[in-house]
Amino acid sequence: MHRSSEVKHVASYLNTRGCECFGQPCESHCPVLTDRTIHVQLKTFIKIRVKPDRTGVVTDGVKHSMNPFCEIAVEEAIKLKEKKLVKEVVAVSCGPQQVQETIRTALAMGADRGIHVEVSGKDYETLGPLQVSKIFAALAKKEQADLIILGKQAIDDDCNQTGQITAALLDWPQGTFASEMTLEADKLKVVREVDGGLETIKINLPAVVTADLRLNTPRYATLPNIMKAKKKKIANVKPADLGVDVCSRLEVLKVDEPPQRQAGVKVETVDDLVGKLKEAGRV
Amino acid sequence: MSSALLPSSRLTSVARWHGIRCLSQLAELPELHQMMRQTCRDYAQKELAPIAAQLDKDHKFPAKQVQELGAMGVMAVEVPESLGGAGMDYLAYCLAVEELSRGCASTGVIVSVNNSLYLGPILKFGTEEQKKQWITPFTTGEKVGCFALSEPGNGSDAGAASTLAHQEGDEWVLNGTKAWITNCWDASATVVFATTDKSLKHKGISAFLVPMPHPGLSLGKKEDKLGIRASSTANIILEDCRIPLGNMLGDRGMGFKIAMQTLDSGRLGIAAQALGIAQAALDCAADYAHKRTAFGAPIGKLQAIQFKLADMALAIESARLLTWRAAMLRDAKKPFTKEAAMAKLGASEAATFVSHQAIQVLGGMGYVTDMPAERHYRDARITEIYEGTSEIQRLVIANKILKEYQQ
């Protein structure tokens, strides 16, 4: 596997689902994540509401935009193209008509063309990482992609699975949580941010990489590029065309708001504290 | 779609009468413009809003941000790509200025002056040579330009320019003082208006291009202003300032016409800036109305606050549609002077009204620098004054109306 001319294109897969849910801690307005606290440094834009029938979160009328980690993925792909290490960047997104806006944003950043995999209605509500990965794997084979870059996770469901499942389906190596990636001859050097620190790995191409926060700072689209984006093509594809069944194997039983924070109790001594913790069954 | 409501012949005549491309465009912007607007909004939210208060305190020119905006193409929206600009239309430019001003009003005016007042007249009246020399370097954000029309002795009375220009051999020699020049301390060139033939009164004014710095051109002290403090404002003093003959912009005696036409467009940029300030003030007030509780509930539940927010939103939306329409008329090369004056008047009065009410909604918090409401109030005030005072706008509008009804 050689560099530049051989690496045909980088497919940058975009997740455009739902809420622009920044804030800290996330649990207060991201009801699907009941036990985890996520601290992200960006501002809160939209208040998330659980649907009255508790089957999910209200998405009607909520502004959808590109997942921030996917923005970082697109930026990395375009950087590779600017360095002339890849020939073509294809931006892909799965979802209803609105995702075309997000693909256009990727085109305005510098991607060459887009693919919109149409999934709408009930299918879209139950669309999860497994089905998306199957779609991406099928597309990667069809487009003969050499590199797939995705955001490490979507900030609405925080699954952190699509990249990994896609790599497994394709039997490709994966470099996840990348904070740095370098193409060296026919190998990809990826520095991964893991709990213990930084891990550097070298993987063969073709490969799947998932972008983490510190990989780069996405550019603002320039006005001339926004104009050029209008002329770039977005192809329409249906999952059935790729031989993928988007039927979900999971059933959401219910979605609830996280419980309201209760008031704390002040104690005088450490012994009191231990006593109270034992009472509450926490120790 | 509107065509269902009107018989087709009436629709075409209405469309022709208004001179806009398509009635449905008033309801929703084209996709290109929406993308552009979103990009500018993102930039303003992430890069301008967080630093606006500090820029205001320090009176600091946002050089880094201006360069970044230059790289995005925002410093030269209407300039064709062949000259280094973004090659977009005036509606796009107005959207950009509004969104940027929503983040930082000073940055908005810096962008507006460069686009409308400096690049505008050169694009329209300059020779090919002049365009290459005076436009291209000013599209990237590395250099900004300014517009020197007002003088200590005349602002609204632009026809009474007392700055003089006389020819000496192969040079023009300029003498006089210009006042209230936005961007001048950070500019690398200026369009200066000077009288070449005093006897011809306003038809004896010509326009000149002067690089900065330049021998014979000096700057007065930076004015300590109420608002838009990150943009510099000062006098430009010309003392035997010599420039080549080729630096005259347009023909001799054309200066007044150039100035008036430039200001017609420039006032849309200011209308956009005023809209941005007003919108930022409304954002602040509406957010506060949700959070602040009094009498047992968020103050947004009280009718007194609700009526204020409604009036504020109405003022902004009305002025915004006026601004868009004037921009679309200009893009369609239709007459737009009256609409531009209405847009500037409407938007600037909306800005002062909305920012005033925003402080009222915030109460005591509106009066302190912890909240941006006081800065919006200070920034808004100038929009009723520069690029044609509200009084001048009313004269322009009345003039047009009387002409329409000419007996």
Side-chain angles (χ1 to χ4, degrees), chain A residues 62-254:
Chain A
V62 174
K63 177 137 201 312
H64 287 50
S65 58
M66 197 188 299
N67 184 41
F69 294 113
C70 297
E71 247 177 16
I72 297 173
V74 173
E75 174 67 24
E76 197 61 23
I78 295 166
K79 275 196 157 123
L80 287 173
K81 186 173 154 215
E82 285 175 344
K83 288 187 200 146
K84 301 217 191 330
L85 295 171
V86 301
K87 255 175 57 179
E88 193 190 23
V89 174
V90 183
V92 182
S93 193
C94 307
Q97 196 54 27
Q98 301 115 283
V99 309
Q100 294 222 0
E101 255 181 66
T102 307
I103 301 177
R104 281 236 184 268
T105 310
L107 295 176
M109 284 170 72
D112 295 296
R113 60 184 167 91
I115 300 177
H116 170 206
V117 182
E118 274 188 65
V119 181
S120 42
K122 237 1 185 135
D123 283 338
Y124 184 59
E125 280 174 38
T126 56
L127 193 68
L130 179 59
Q131 302 100 303
V132 172
S133 304
K134 286 181 181 171
I135 292 173
F136 286 174
L139 266 176
K141 287 200 191 114
K142 184 162 174 257
E143 296 282 334
Q144 296 183 297
D146 300 299
L147 179 58
I148 301 177
I149 313 182
L150 309 87
K152 69 169 181 181
Q153 64 199 57
I155 59 169
D156 52 12
D157 56 22
D158 278 317
C159 286
N160 189 346
Q161 296 170 6
T162 308
Q164 292 88 331
I165 301 178
T166 310
L169 289 172
L170 289 166
D171 197 25
W172 285 7
Q174 53 183 267
T176 52
F177 313 107
S179 66
E180 217 185 289
M181 75 179 235
T182 338
L183 246 138
E184 287 176 356
D186 51 345
K187 293 208 199 293
L188 196 57
K189 186 174 99 172
V190 180
V191 177
R192 307 178 57 229
E193 286 193 12
V194 296
D195 287 341
L198 297 172
E199 181 192 52
T200 307
I201 58 171
K202 244 191 197 151
I203 52 178
N204 294 328
L205 289 171
V208 174
V209 172
T210 72
D212 207 327
L213 195 61
R214 280 156 280 275
L215 182 58
N216 59 50
T217 309
R219 67 193 60 194
Y220 292 99
T222 67
L223 267 48
N225 277 342
I226 292 176
M227 295 224 298
K228 287 192 192 118
K230 238 193 144 186
K231 302 191 190 115
K232 295 180 183 171
K233 285 202 165 48
I234 301 180
N236 274 315
V237 175
K238 289 201 171 52
D241 300 339
L242 300 166
V244 173
D245 163 29
V246 287
C247 188
S248 177
R249 270 85 167 149
L250 302 171
E251 185 196 334
V252 172
L253 297 176
K254 71 170 160 85

Side-chain angles (χ1 to χ4, degrees), chain B residues 220-231:
Chain B
K221 73 159 178 46
K222 266 196 220 181
E223 303 289 352
D224 186 9
K225 307 190 293 291
L226 178 65
I228 55 161
R229 307 223 289 224
S231 97

Side-chain angles (χ1 to χ4, degrees), chain A residues 42 45 63 71 100-101 104-105 108 220-224 226-230, chain B residues 31-32 35-36 38-39 42-43 45-47 71-74 81 86-88:
Chain A
L42 309 155
F45 288 103
K63 177 137 201 312
E71 247 177 16
Q100 294 222 0
E101 255 181 66
R104 281 236 184 268
T105 310
Y220 292 99
T222 67
L223 267 48
I226 292 176
M227 295 224 298
K228 287 192 192 118
K230 238 193 144 186
Chain B
E31 197 197 336
L32 194 66
M35 282 180 72
M36 205 231 113
Q38 190 60 47
T39 304
D42 288 340
Y43 186 84
Q45 257 171 6
K46 291 185 193 141
E47 310 288 340
M72 283 163 70
V74 172
E81 283 193 69
M88 291 185 85

Side-chain angles (χ1 to χ4, degrees), chain B residues 324-371:
Chain B
W324 289 3
R325 177 144 170 274
M328 288 196 282
L329 284 170
R330 186 187 182 282
D331 287 332
K333 303 211 192 314
K334 297 280 194 306
F336 69 102
T337 304
K338 181 182 76 167
E339 287 78 4
M342 287 172 144
K344 201 258 183 188
L345 179 60
S348 53
E349 292 192 341
T352 46
F353 167 72
V354 173
S355 53
H356 180 116
Q357 291 302 322
I359 293 188
Q360 200 65 16
V361 170
L362 265 62
M365 280 311 286
Y367 205 63
V368 296
T369 54
D370 302 53
M371 294 293 268

